[in-house]
Amino acid sequence: MRPTRTSLCLIIVVLMASTSQAETEKPLVRVGSKAFTESVVLGEVLEHLIADGGGRPEHRAELGGTQVCWKALLSGDIDCYVEYTGTIQQEILSGESVRGDESLREALARRGVTMSRHLGFNNTYALGMPEELAAKLNIRTISDLAASPELPRLKMRFSDEFIERDDGWNGLRREYGLPEIAARGIDHSLAYRGLQSGSHQITDVFTTDAEIRLYNIRVLEDNRSYFPLYQAVLLSRADLQDRAPQVVQSLHRIEGLIDNAAMIDMNARAKLDRIDESRVAADFLKDKLNLSITLPGEGRSARLMQATHRLLDNLLQHLMLVSVSLIAAIVVAVPLGIISYCHPRLGRVVLNSVGIVQTLPAMAVLVFTIPILGLGAWPAIFALFLYSLLPIVRNTYTGLSDIPQHLRDSAMVLGLSPMARLRLVELPLASTSIMGGIKTAAVINVGTATIGALVGAGGFGQPILTGIRLDDFSLILQGAVPAAALAIVVQAAFGYAERWIIPAGLRIQST
Amino acid sequence: MLELDQVTKSFGTQTVLYPTSLVVTEGTTTVLIGPSGCGKSTLLRMMIGLILPDAGTIQFQGETFTAANQLALRHRIGYVIQDGGLFPHLSAFDNVALLARHLGREPSWVKSRVAELAELVRLPQSALSRFPAQLSGGQRQRVGIMRAFVLDPPLILLDEPMGALDPLVRYDLQNDLREIFRTLKKSVVLVTHDMGEAGFFGDEVILLGSGRIMQRGTLNDLLKHPADEFVTRFIQAQRWVQSDDVNTSKGRHRGHSGEHSTLQHDKHVTSKPN
C-alpha cells in the first residue's frame, strides 16, 4: 500500500513537472484587445492561432482603448493586437499625417512594430437601410440613394457623433449632394430599432455591426470613397519574429481571412447570441482553416463554477487594488500633511500639487504609466494612490492646524521636543481628522478601482466593462452591486477601526 | 530665581512691552495684574521661552534661554493656564504622567508621584481615570496643577488659573493653592486681573498698563499710595472698597459669591485694621 502511494505521488510530481516544463518551453505570446466585442473576438482568434503555432497564448482582454493597447505593445506587455488603419493614422501617428498603407507600415516599423496585410474587413461608417426597401427601390450605393426619386420620402436619423464629426454627415451630404436634414441625433442602438419599426429609413452604421445581420440591413456602398478606411490589420512587435517565428507564421494566416460578412457574423454570435467569444473564434477558424480547437471549461456547471470563481477573483483583485494603493498613500500622505503643517510655505506647494494631481483624468494617468509599470495592477494602483493623496494630506494638515492654540502651548511649556509633541499630542489630537481623510480615500478608491479593468487589473470593473460591451445589464450589476456593497463594508470597517485608533477621550467629546 | 532685565517685545508695529525689568525672589509669589492687553501674559510667556524678547535678557537660575537648553529649563518650570489646558485625548492620570513617562521615569515612580499630587491638590482618586471632558472645571484645573508639579519644579507660572471657575470653586482652589505654594516653598508668578486674588496670593503685586509697569509693591501699597491716575482708576474699576478698610495680606476673609456680597463681606473686616 505504502510503496504504491509513494510511487503514485512520484508519478504525479514528475508528470506535473514535465507538463509545466513543456508549457514553459513554449514561447509566451500575449494578445491584447480593446473593450468592445469585435476586438475581443479578434483577440480570441489570435489566441487560437498562437496556440496552433506552438505558442503559449495569454489574452489581456478589454483594455481601455487605443492608447492603452498601443503603449502596452510598445512596452512589451502585449505582443500583438488588431488595430484599424484609420485609427493608426488618426490616433497613434496623429502628429505625422502619414497616408497610405506603405508609409504607415514604415512609420510603425521605425517604432519596432510590424503591420500585417489587411485582415479583410473594413470597419467604418456607412449608411444603412432595410434590405427589403433597398431591394425594392434598387439602391445599392450612396449615389443610387442620392439619385432615387423616392429620396424625399425617406426619413433619415443619425447618431450624434456622426452629425458632429468632420468626416460625418455634413461632408457626406456635400460629397453626394444629399438633401439637408434637421440634425437630430439618436442613440446608435436605438437607430437600428427605428429602422425596424419604420420611424426612419436611413441611418449611419458601422460596417461590421452585429445588428446589420439581426435587422437585415443593406449597407450602401460608399462608391465615391468618402468615408476613411478602417481596414483591420494585425500589429505585432518586430521582435516576436525572433522569439517565436512559428507563431508569427501561424498568425499570418489571419491576413485576408475575415471579410465584412464574416466579422458581422462573429460579432452577432458573440453580442446578440451571447456565445462565448472563444467559442465564436474557434468555430470561425474551424470553418475557415479547419483548425480543431478544444476549449476548456464549457458546459453549464463549469460556467457556474466560473461565475463564483470570478466573483471571488474580482473581489480579491479589487481589494488588492484598494488596499495596496491606500496603504502606500497613507505612508506618503500623512508625512506630507505633517510637513505641510510644520512648514506652511512648503505646505501650500504640497497642497496645491496634490490638488492638481486630483484633477488628472484617470485614463491619462493609466496611459502615461503603462510604459513604466506595464499592464495589470500596478498602473491602476498608481492611479488610485495619486487620487488618495488629496483627502489624506488635506485632512492631516487640517487636523493638525485646527489644534487649539492653548493645547499647543500646553505641549510646548511641558518641555516636550517637537517630535515628542507631534507623537504624544498633535497626531493623537488630529487622529479623528486623519482617519476621516483615510476613510474618504478608501471609499472613493473602492469606486474608482473599477478603472483597473481598463488596464487588465481585474476587479469589479471587469464585469462592468464586459457588461457595457455586450449590452448585458445583469453583467454590469455583477460588478456594480458588489463594488457598492464593498464601499459600504469598507465604510463600516473604518467606523469600527476608529474605535481602536482614535483615542477614547476624543470620542467622548465628539458624542 | 528669575530675572528679567530690560526686556521688550513688539508684534509688527505694535509694542506690547516697553523695556521692563523684574526679579522673582525664591519662595515668594509675584502677581502680575492689569487690564487686557497690558502685556502681563506676554511677560509670563517670555518667562518660559514661549515668546523671545526683542531686546533684554531673561535669566532663570542663572541661565538664559537658548534653543539648546529651553526644553531642560522648561522641565524646571511649571506652567498652568486657564481651564488647565489638558489634552483631551488623555485621561487625567495620563495628562499628569505624560512628561515623566516621556523622560523615562519608572512606571512605579510615576504612579506614586501622581497619587501623591492628587492628594496634594485634593483630587479624588476616582477622577484620575476620567478624561478631561468628564471632569468638572475645578477638577480640570487641579489636574492642570498636578501636571505642572509632576517634576517638582522650583518655579510655577500661572496664567489666570481661576479665570474659568465659578466663585465657590475658585474660593476653595485659591485656598488650597496658596497653602501648597507656602508649604512647598515654591517661587510663583501669577497673572490675574482680579485685585482680590492678587492681594490674596501676592507677596509683590506688579500692576501693568499698556506695556509698562505702572506700580509695584504690596497690594496695600497700591491701594494706599496709588502712583498715578491709572492705578487709581484700575483699583476703582475693581469695585474695591477704600484702602483704609482693607485687610490684604493676612488671612482669608473674602467671599466671592458675587459683587454685592463681596462688598458687604469686605465691610465686615474693616474692624480688623492691618
Side-chain angles (χ1 to χ4, degrees):
Chain A
M1 186 72 194
R2 186 171 293 173
T4 353
R5 196 195 275 170
T6 336
S7 53
L8 205 73
C9 286
L10 211 82
I11 289 167
I12 289 170
V13 167
V14 169
L15 269 176
M16 279 169 64
S18 63
T19 52
S20 66
Q21 201 179 7
E23 281 298 305
T24 50
E25 272 170 11
K26 287 184 179 177
L28 173 67
V29 181
R30 284 182 287 198
V31 179
S33 64
K34 302 185 201 176
F36 57 92
T37 299
E38 182 169 296
S39 191
V40 175
V41 170
L42 291 167
E44 292 295 318
V45 170
L46 297 180
E47 204 181 323
H48 293 320
L49 288 175
I50 290 163
D52 196 59
R56 184 158 55 92
E58 191 183 296
H59 185 180
R60 314 213 71 158
E62 299 183 321
L63 299 175
T66 303
Q67 285 302 327
V68 174
C69 284
W70 173 246
K71 291 277 171 17
L73 185 68
L74 290 184
S75 70
D77 279 282
I78 58 173
D79 295 299
C80 57
Y81 79 103
V82 173
E83 191 51 278
Y84 304 90
T85 51
T87 311
I88 297 173
Q89 218 165 356
Q90 300 273 330
E91 291 188 46
I92 294 177
L93 305 173
S94 56
E96 305 190 18
S97 71
V98 186
R99 303 266 161 232
D101 285 355
E102 272 322 301
S103 26
L104 275 186
R105 191 165 281 121
E106 279 166 28
L108 292 171
R110 284 199 295 275
R111 293 164 168 81
V113 172
T114 308
M115 181 178 119
S116 74
R117 290 190 284 121
H118 295 165
L119 304 194
F121 67 91
N122 174 25
N123 182 359
T124 187
Y125 275 118
L127 296 188
M129 63 190 293
E131 172 65 34
E132 223 170 282
L133 182 66
K136 205 175 85 185
L137 302 178
N138 199 20
I139 297 174
R140 298 203 158 274
T141 67
I142 302 180
S143 288
D144 291 347
L145 176 70
S148 172
E150 289 295 313
L151 184 61
R153 274 181 293 282
L154 296 175
K155 261 196 256 170
M156 308 187 201
R157 290 292 292 278
F158 299 118
S159 66
D160 291 306
E161 199 195 347
F162 186 67
I163 291 170
E164 279 157 28
R165 276 175 74 119
D166 293 341
D167 56 358
W169 167 245
N170 281 322
L172 183 77
R173 190 172 56 77
R174 279 195 296 276
E175 178 72 33
Y176 284 96
L178 289 164
E180 215 163 324
I181 58 152
R184 271 178 58 211
I186 188 169
D187 182 82
H188 195 67
S189 57
L190 290 180
Y192 283 109
R193 286 181 206 155
L195 277 189
Q196 194 193 23
S197 70
S199 76
H200 52 267
Q201 285 74 43
I202 313 273
T203 191
D204 60 305
V205 300
F206 290 113
T207 46
T208 56
D209 276 349
E211 288 84 350
I212 289 171
R213 193 195 75 174
L214 178 70
Y215 296 116
N216 195 20
I217 286 161
R218 179 178 289 186
V219 175
L220 303 185
E221 191 195 323
D222 176 20
N223 54 308
R224 300 176 77 114
S225 301
Y226 167 74
F227 290 117
L229 288 174
Y230 281 78
Q231 290 283 356
V233 290
L234 175 68
L235 297 186
S236 55
R237 290 175 61 82
D239 61 12
L240 191 62
Q241 178 65 40
D242 304 327
R243 272 166 35 220
Q246 275 165 337
V247 169
V248 172
Q249 213 172 354
S250 177
L251 282 172
H252 271 305
R253 290 184 288 176
I254 200 176
E255 291 173 344
L257 194 67
I258 310 171
D259 60 15
N260 276 29
M263 196 64 243
I264 290 170
D265 189 55
M266 283 198 282
N267 282 340
R269 293 191 74 200
K271 192 166 177 181
L272 305 175
D273 306 340
R274 296 282 157 83
I275 297 169
D276 191 72
E277 291 89 359
S278 191
R279 163 58 53 200
V280 172
D283 288 349
F284 170 78
L285 289 173
K286 166 95 177 130
D287 184 40
K288 291 279 181 173
L289 299 177
N290 202 21
L291 295 187
S292 58
I293 296 154
T294 44
L295 296 173
E298 279 192 313
R300 260 191 85 77
S301 63
R303 269 172 183 266
L304 243 159
M305 280 288 286
Q306 269 182 346
T308 47
H309 262 242
R310 245 197 334 256
L311 183 71
L312 199 68
D313 275 356
N314 290 339
L315 175 66
L316 291 178
Q317 287 161 346
H318 208 89
L319 280 176
M320 197 271 284
L321 294 178
V322 171
S323 52
V324 173
S325 60
L326 189 68
I327 289 167
I330 293 170
V331 168
V332 173
V334 172
L336 277 181
I338 294 170
I339 290 169
S340 305
Y341 161 70
C342 296
H343 307 280
R345 197 172 297 181
L346 186 65
R348 264 200 300 281
V349 177
V350 170
L351 286 169
N352 284 335
S353 308
V354 292
I356 290 166
V357 161
Q358 198 76 8
T359 65
L360 298 175
M363 206 57 220
V365 174
L366 294 177
V367 167
F368 277 122
T369 47
I370 287 170
I372 304 155
L373 299 172
L375 283 179
W378 288 112
I381 288 172
F382 182 71
L384 294 175
F385 161 79
L386 288 184
Y387 294 141
S388 302
L389 290 178
L390 180 66
I392 304 177
V393 172
R394 164 90 22 108
N395 275 39
T396 303
Y397 172 80
T398 314
L400 290 169
S401 305
D402 285 354
I403 294 172
Q405 187 61 42
H406 72 275
L407 292 181
R408 242 181 281 231
D409 285 351
S410 292
M412 293 266 268
V413 297
L414 280 179
L416 293 173
S417 64
M419 277 310 284
R421 288 204 297 271
L422 198 62
R423 186 168 57 84
L424 297 172
V425 178
E426 292 166 341
L427 282 178
L429 288 176
S431 61
T432 311
S433 177
I434 297 173
M435 277 302 286
I438 294 172
K439 184 157 83 176
T440 307
V443 173
I444 291 175
N445 261 8
V446 170
T448 316
T450 50
I451 62 165
L454 297 174
V455 286
F460 290 127
Q462 205 64 61
I464 295 176
L465 211 55
T466 311
I468 292 171
R469 172 168 74 75
L470 295 175
D471 215 357
D472 183 339
F473 197 62
S474 73
L475 206 52
I476 294 175
L477 289 182
Q478 278 180 39
V481 171
L486 186 61
I488 294 168
V489 169
V490 165
Q491 177 118 13
F494 269 92
Y496 191 74
E498 279 173 353
R499 293 187 204 181
W500 301 95
I501 293 166
I502 296 175
L506 295 181
R507 281 183 278 115
I508 287 168
Q509 248 189 356
S510 62
T511 51
Chain B
M1 173 65 51
L2 184 68
E3 268 181 66
L4 284 75
D5 186 30
Q6 297 293 309
V7 293
T8 63
K9 187 70 197 175
S10 303
F11 293 118
T13 54
Q14 193 180 355
T15 305
V16 290
L17 204 61
Y18 293 96
T20 301
S21 300
L22 68 89
V23 175
V24 178
T25 324
E26 193 154 350
T28 65
T29 296
T30 305
V31 174
L32 303 178
I33 192 166
S36 297
C38 68
K40 58 188 193 293
S41 283
T42 304
L43 211 47
L44 195 75
R45 291 159 72 82
M46 273 185 183
M47 293 177 186
I48 197 157
L50 277 184
I51 296 175
L52 294 177
D54 296 336
T57 56
I58 299 173
Q59 283 207 320
F60 171 62
Q61 293 184 325
E63 293 180 63
T64 46
F65 273 91
T66 64
N69 71 1
Q70 65 173 2
L71 298 185
L73 291 189
R74 282 174 187 163
H75 296 161
R76 307 204 312 253
I77 303 173
Y79 195 98
V80 182
I81 64 170
Q82 189 170 317
D83 208 29
L86 300 181
F87 302 127
H89 64 294
L90 298 176
S91 68
F93 184 97
D94 291 338
N95 261 284
V96 178
L98 181 72
L99 180 60
R101 279 178 179 158
H102 174 63
L103 297 176
R105 297 292 166 92
E106 289 293 318
S108 57
W109 182 90
V110 173
K111 206 174 168 206
S112 67
R113 177 68 180 153
V114 175
E116 188 183 308
L117 287 168
E119 203 166 319
L120 181 74
V121 303
R122 300 203 296 146
L123 184 81
Q125 290 288 332
S126 63
L128 284 174
S129 59
R130 300 209 189 109
F131 290 103
Q134 299 167 314
L135 298 172
S136 71
Q139 286 176 326
R140 276 202 290 275
Q141 197 52 278
R142 286 169 199 269
V143 176
I145 291 156
M146 288 167 67
R147 189 172 67 181
F149 271 69
V150 74
L151 296 183
D152 198 18
L155 176 65
I156 306 287
L157 309 177
L158 303 100
D159 192 357
E160 304 205 24
M162 322 287 172
L165 300 181
D166 76 68
L168 289 174
V169 176
R170 184 185 333 182
Y171 179 85
D172 289 338
L173 190 59
Q174 283 169 334
N175 281 338
D176 290 350
L177 261 186
R178 193 173 69 167
E179 188 59 32
I180 291 166
F181 295 156
R182 286 192 175 162
T183 17
L184 299 181
K185 297 193 168 56
K186 296 291 180 195
S187 311
V188 177
V189 180
L190 181 135
V191 165
T192 182
H193 55 252
D194 179 345
M195 269 292 197
E197 192 168 281
F200 179 65
F201 279 101
D203 297 308
E204 184 181 31
V205 176
I206 297 178
L207 176 61
L208 288 125
S210 46
R212 287 188 180 84
I213 292 179
M214 308 308 279
Q215 190 170 359
R216 64 177 96 191
T218 62
L219 180 64
N220 217 25
D221 294 339
L222 268 66
L223 295 177
K224 276 186 176 160
H225 313 290
D228 58 16
E229 181 65 11
F230 174 84
V231 180
T232 312
R233 274 182 49 75
F234 186 78
I235 291 166
Q236 275 173 355
Q238 299 274 330
R239 296 199 183 283
W240 189 252
V241 287
Q242 297 303 304
S243 60
D244 291 332
D245 301 339
V246 175
N247 175 323
T248 50
S249 57
K250 303 287 186 303
R252 177 71 211 205
H253 300 286
R254 293 171 48 241
H256 264 258
S257 50
E259 299 293 348
H260 282 294
S261 68
T262 304
L263 278 173
Q264 281 164 6
H265 199 115
D266 288 332
K267 273 176 185 156
H268 274 293
V269 301
T270 52
S271 57
K272 270 172 93 183
N274 194 18

